[in-house]
Amino acid sequence: SGARIEALIRKGQAGSVLWLNDTRRFNELQKIAVEESPSGIPLLFALDVIHGYRTIFPVPLAMAASWDPAVAEQAQTVAAREARAAGIHWTFGPMIDIARDARWGRIVEGAGEDPYLGAAMAAAQVRGFQGNDLADPERVLACAKHFAGYGASEGGRDYDTVYLSESQLRNVYLPPFKAAVEAGVKTFMSAYMDLNDVPATANCRLLRDVLRDEWGFDGFVVSDAFGVMNLIIQGHARDERDASLRALKAGLNIDMASETY
């Protein structure tokens, strides 16, 4: 509820507000965060702006079918300008999962099956959303998602288990994410599913070894919606406290919406 959200912000227990799309409300909540919270740090407002905010563009798969990264970059530049004008700071895009099973329902958000095209489209969208300067009042933070291997779910069933060899990961599924890092993306979203029996939300190999240590990523990582709480359902954690600890230790910075952190 609105009153509950305001109370959390006053206590300094919220750093971001997600899925809200109301400029007047953004201003009301921001005033509370800046004037009444212990830290006075402004909130981040975030929304899925996938292929346009007010001006609607073709879906990402269709933009990728142009084989022209400039198309995606220009579209996301317009999306960023419109979203930022409304008070949004951060978008949950681009989705850069490689997908090779036509049964998977989220193919439309990505660039399809090819890692080379996927990497080119990933970098272009990051440039479109973020520009060259994060302080630019016409740009938003981009979020590379879902790290990693989410599009390889068994049987094309969303959230289903993923088993990938190191060679499949390196040659097929990771190149678009590496391209996003090289393009300067400032946020990552972890994936829902288990990768080789370890949930991506608490996967040290992905979030620490590869992303931070190997690629030098210096932004922040957010879970997918309710991903930290899901660690209990996935049999990886005993309870909320254990789930929070495991995700934090693995390198996850923000718990999206399950309020365990």
Side-chain angles (χ1 to χ4, degrees):
S1 72
R4 190 172 147 278
I5 291 168
E6 289 179 16
L8 285 173
I9 294 167
R10 279 193 183 91
K11 286 188 223 157
Q13 293 177 347
S16 57
V17 176
L18 317 180
W19 310 317
L20 178 66
N21 190 13
D22 179 340
T23 301
R24 181 175 295 165
R25 190 71 176 134
F26 290 151
N27 291 334
E28 290 168 359
L29 296 178
Q30 199 66 285
K31 194 170 194 301
I32 294 169
V34 172
E35 295 179 4
E36 300 180 50
S37 79
S39 68
I41 295 172
L43 295 164
L44 277 175
F45 296 114
L47 188 72
D48 286 277
V49 180
I50 305 299
H51 57 109
Y53 180 72
R54 284 279 176 258
T55 308
I56 300 302
F57 294 97
V59 293
L61 188 63
M63 285 196 279
S66 69
W67 285 83
D68 183 358
V71 168
E73 184 172 347
Q74 288 164 26
Q76 304 303 27
T77 300
V78 173
R81 187 178 299 140
E82 293 181 353
R84 192 68 195 83
I88 294 160
H89 307 112
W90 178 27
T91 178
F92 303 125
M95 191 204 92
I96 52 181
D97 295 302
I98 296 297
R100 294 183 164 182
D101 186 330
R103 294 171 295 185
W104 192 53
R106 297 192 66 170
I107 289 175
V108 67
E109 295 174 65
E113 65 183 358
D114 184 73
Y116 185 84
L117 177 63
M121 288 293 162
Q125 291 182 80
V126 170
R127 289 193 302 267
F129 283 130
Q130 290 189 172
N132 299 318
D133 178 11
L134 291 179
D136 186 334
E138 296 203 324
R139 302 289 183 163
V140 294
L141 282 173
C143 185
K145 70 183 192 184
H146 308 83
F147 197 59
Y150 185 43
S153 59
E154 293 207 338
R157 294 180 294 262
D158 201 22
Y159 301 16
D160 213 347
T161 301
V162 170
Y163 291 102
L164 291 171
S165 68
E166 188 70 6
S167 127
Q168 285 173 302
L169 257 178
R170 296 283 178 178
N171 291 320
V172 179
Y173 294 90
L174 292 186
F177 290 98
K178 189 161 194 288
V181 171
E182 288 166 357
V185 75
K186 284 301 172 194
T187 83
F188 259 65
M189 186 186 296
S190 58
Y192 274 124
M193 79 304 146
D194 293 4
L195 174 64
N196 301 334
D197 296 321
V198 180
T201 309
N203 195 308
C204 299
R205 172 100 183 84
L206 283 175
L207 302 183
R208 282 196 185 278
D209 298 354
V210 175
L211 184 58
R212 300 249 182 231
D213 297 345
E214 195 181 313
W215 294 350
F217 175 70
D218 65 353
F220 65 80
V221 180
V222 63
S223 75
D224 208 336
F226 310 104
V228 177
M229 188 87 85
N230 284 356
L231 291 172
I232 304 165
I233 299 165
Q234 288 169 291
H236 190 72
R238 281 188 304 275
D239 50 29
E240 287 185 28
R241 186 176 182 277
D242 191 37
S244 302
L245 181 66
R246 287 171 185 272
L248 274 167
K249 285 171 82 169
L252 190 92
N253 308 111
I254 297 184
D255 161 18
M256 186 191 284
S258 66
E259 292 184 29
T260 63
Y261 273 25

